[in-house]
Amino acid sequence: MAVTERTPGGTDGEGTAEEPHTGLQAAFTAGVARLRGLTGGLTDEALRAPSALPGWTRGHVLTHIEGVGLALARQARYALRGRTIEVYDGGRPARDAAIEAGHGRPAAQLAAALADALDEAEASWAAVGPDDWGRPVAYRDGTLRTVGLAWWRELEIHTVDARLGASPSGWSPELCTHLLDFLSVRVPGGIGLTVTAVDTGGVWTFGRGARVAVEGRLTDLAAWFAGRTPEGELAGDPLPELGTWP
């Protein structure tokens, strides 16, 4: 794998806290501020409109952001106490049930709950110091950095999924690079996939086997890897079918 850029505060994948942690925390702050700006004045009608995710309304997506924000913030809080805890009480079934129960709330109620969750996320991540990123967590049996990168992905991708005005074209080069690396496991076996960002000159090669080349803007490549619709065209003949998320 050849990678030309780096994620905030560390390496291109899950990484370690080899660089100052402020870059990742700044990404959280910017992402939360963006989402807050897009969700002001939500109406019941707007929440019932379709999102970019099949079968989910905007209410589903925003309720999911609320829940995952609280769940990952809890990972951080417990890690700072030297403890690990399940991501969701009751696991994935409880997470899914909460989304189904919460997506139909009146706009004012959902917006207030989302704002509270974002407040909690900001406070929890602000408490993480430079020496804390290697602390163990239950999430993926990883570290606080693993959780932090997950919150970054969830926040940025689902803000786009909500169809409130954000799009992948607004994703930072750092996020796009991280998504390419983290999601490279989606590249099917038996091919050597080379992706080239025509706007930045970045080149990445994943896997081994028959050579396949895909070109496009960096944000479009990242959207494709993330299972979202690129805004611009990708050049590939044909584009390989990517596997499931890790």
Side-chain angles (χ1 to χ4, degrees):
M1 175 182 67
V3 182
T4 61
E5 303 179 61
R6 298 172 69 85
T7 57
T11 62
D12 305 283
E14 293 302 319
T16 60
E18 294 176 350
E19 297 176 358
H21 66 296
T22 51
L24 189 51
Q25 288 178 319
F28 299 156
T29 299
V32 167
R34 185 179 307 110
L35 181 58
R36 289 188 194 275
L38 293 170
T39 51
L42 281 175
T43 64
D44 289 351
E45 182 180 9
L47 289 176
R48 309 301 171 249
S51 75
L53 297 179
W56 271 21
T57 64
R58 284 196 185 101
H60 283 89
V61 172
L62 295 177
T63 299
H64 174 49
I65 296 174
E66 172 197 347
V68 75
L70 290 172
L72 298 181
R74 184 172 79 155
Q75 293 288 293
R77 290 200 314 275
Y78 274 78
L80 293 179
R81 301 172 194 165
R83 298 173 58 189
T84 60
I85 191 170
E86 188 177 16
V87 179
Y88 291 96
D89 287 330
R92 180 63 180 260
R95 170 261 199 194
D96 293 344
I99 293 171
E100 286 305 310
H103 74 86
R105 289 170 291 178
Q109 184 180 347
L110 193 156
L114 177 62
D116 288 345
L118 295 177
D119 287 345
E120 174 63 20
E122 287 195 296
S124 296
W125 289 107
V128 177
D131 299 325
D132 293 323
W133 293 96
R135 289 176 178 266
V137 296
Y139 176 79
R140 295 181 183 266
D141 292 323
T143 65
L144 261 183
R145 181 163 178 77
T146 312
V147 181
L149 289 170
W151 174 228
W152 189 29
R153 294 190 299 269
E154 294 282 332
L155 180 60
E156 294 290 350
I157 292 174
H158 289 313
T159 294
V160 168
D161 289 337
R163 286 182 172 168
L164 291 167
S167 72
S169 65
W171 288 346
S172 69
E174 293 83 6
L175 176 65
C176 292
T177 301
H178 168 64
L179 290 175
L180 291 178
D181 187 70
F182 177 73
L183 296 171
S184 64
V185 295
R186 300 190 68 203
V187 176
I191 71 170
L193 176 64
T194 297
V195 295
T196 301
V198 296
D199 52 341
T200 69
V203 179
W204 296 259
T205 299
F206 306 104
R208 297 173 181 269
R211 297 184 58 137
V212 176
V214 175
E215 295 184 350
R217 295 184 308 175
L218 180 58
T219 53
D220 292 327
L221 292 168
W224 174 53
F225 263 53
R228 272 62 184 178
T229 302
E231 295 173 279
E233 291 192 13
L234 298 178
D237 188 21
L239 295 178
E241 183 175 346
L242 300 178
T244 59
W245 265 64

